[in-house]
Amino acid sequence: ILKYAEARNVKVAPEFNMPGHARAAVVSMEARAKNGDDSYRLMDPDDETELLTVQFYDRSSIINPCLDSSVRFVVKLVDEVVKMYAEAQLGLDVWQFGGDEAKNILLGAGYSAYDLPKELPFSKSPACIKKMQEDPTISIDTDAANYWALKVNQILAQKGIREMMAWEDGLNGMMKEEFEIAEVTVNFWSTLFWGGTDVLVEASKTGFGVIMANPDYLYFDFPYEVHPEERGYYWGTRENSVAKVFSFAPENLPQNAETSVDRDGNAMNITTPDWPAPVIKGMQGQTWSETVRTEAQHQEMTYPRVLAVAERAWHRGSWELDWTPTQNYHGTTAHVPKDQLATDFKGFNTVLGCREVRKIWQRLGIAYRVPPPGAIIEGGILIANTELPCTRIQYSLDRGVNWSEYFTPVDVGVGKY
């Protein structure tokens, strides 16, 4: 993978999410421990904490940060990855730590009415209780991700890795000065309709670099459009179409309230915080794979949306406005020059449909998503169109036995269909 990427001018930044989202590692090392080698054990066998993670796992999906064996595991992991890069004749200078969602969701408001255990992570781990008694400044049960971030950061610094990345909530409440590595970057993934602009301002105060990774615009595990036959998740948005991804303004997050709606299809009303514009280091599209089971599904969910991300990442459109403190955006404001946005997208979409998707199919064999055509019969005339220019449309007048290519409106007879 590294050699293939290097030949195409692509840098691979490895991500090993921890302490949360680590079930595969925890379970594997637990099996190793039960076979007689607990050198890399990641779960305190005496921990009786009951919790439920976002993916509905128990504590076996979170690395216990209080164990010396957990530290040894990370050292071993980093050493092995460094060796892989060296074998590919590359240096490893960026490491994605993860850090997100290391929590017990039963403590959230959504479960307040349920008679279920509501315990802080590691609150019944003897190893963590001992560590907190030895150092009262440590609150591992409430700040497990932060504590572990500093531990991992120390290891990365010792290995000469230049930059540490993490998901935004993994470093909540922390500042750049706390880290040994000079460059620390967060992937920003708060949704706009859940107060994303305020969270972005707080992230900008930390000294961390910020990469926009917003679910409601840049997650590819959501549907392309609102339709029951479209696959994908729903928690962050009901649709991320190519047009919506293209219209995302990464450097002026509030602006997007004027050009899109919230998860439930309602207009948003967002006022730009009275704070200088956050400095945005970059943006990132994500294809999460919980519901992706085949390579064909992965290709369909990723392409062609990823090309819209590339366009926004390297080119700022004339319709992207500057961050203006106290400026208000909602569905009926007219700050965004939507005629310019429409013209820009039309040009992009034409090149996409008539040229670029042909390349990724013919040269790379990638089965990109072909949007279903739209059609209506008015007065016996069939009128059809397609979201993606240069995409062929065919129609049948005998229930699919024979097909004809559509070029212009077709007279199919009044009342026949």
Side-chain angles (χ1 to χ4, degrees), residues 265-291:
N266 300 317
M268 292 181 279
N269 191 330
I270 305 294
T271 298
T272 309
D274 190 8
W275 187 262
V279 177
I280 306 302
K281 184 175 182 178
M283 59 186 289
Q284 175 177 295
Q286 290 79 209
T287 304
W288 303 111
S289 59
E290 289 106 315
T291 63

Side-chain angles (χ1 to χ4, degrees), residues 64-131:
N64 189 307
C66 306
L67 304 175
D68 292 339
S69 51
S70 295
V71 175
R72 283 194 294 272
F73 174 84
V74 176
V75 172
K76 176 66 172 176
L77 176 64
V78 176
D79 284 342
E80 292 300 323
V81 176
V82 168
K83 289 178 184 178
M84 291 182 188
Y85 275 74
E87 185 178 340
Q89 298 182 329
L90 296 171
L92 175 58
D93 54 3
V94 180
W95 185 279
Q96 168 58 276
F97 158 74
D100 62 309
E101 298 185 324
K103 60 185 180 181
N104 180 6
I105 64 172
L106 297 179
L107 294 170
Y111 292 87
S112 59
Y114 293 88
D115 184 20
L116 295 169
K118 295 177 174 61
E119 301 173 350
L120 292 167
F122 314 115
S123 57
K124 293 183 177 179
S125 164
C128 287
I129 292 172
K130 179 182 178 182
K131 191 169 289 291

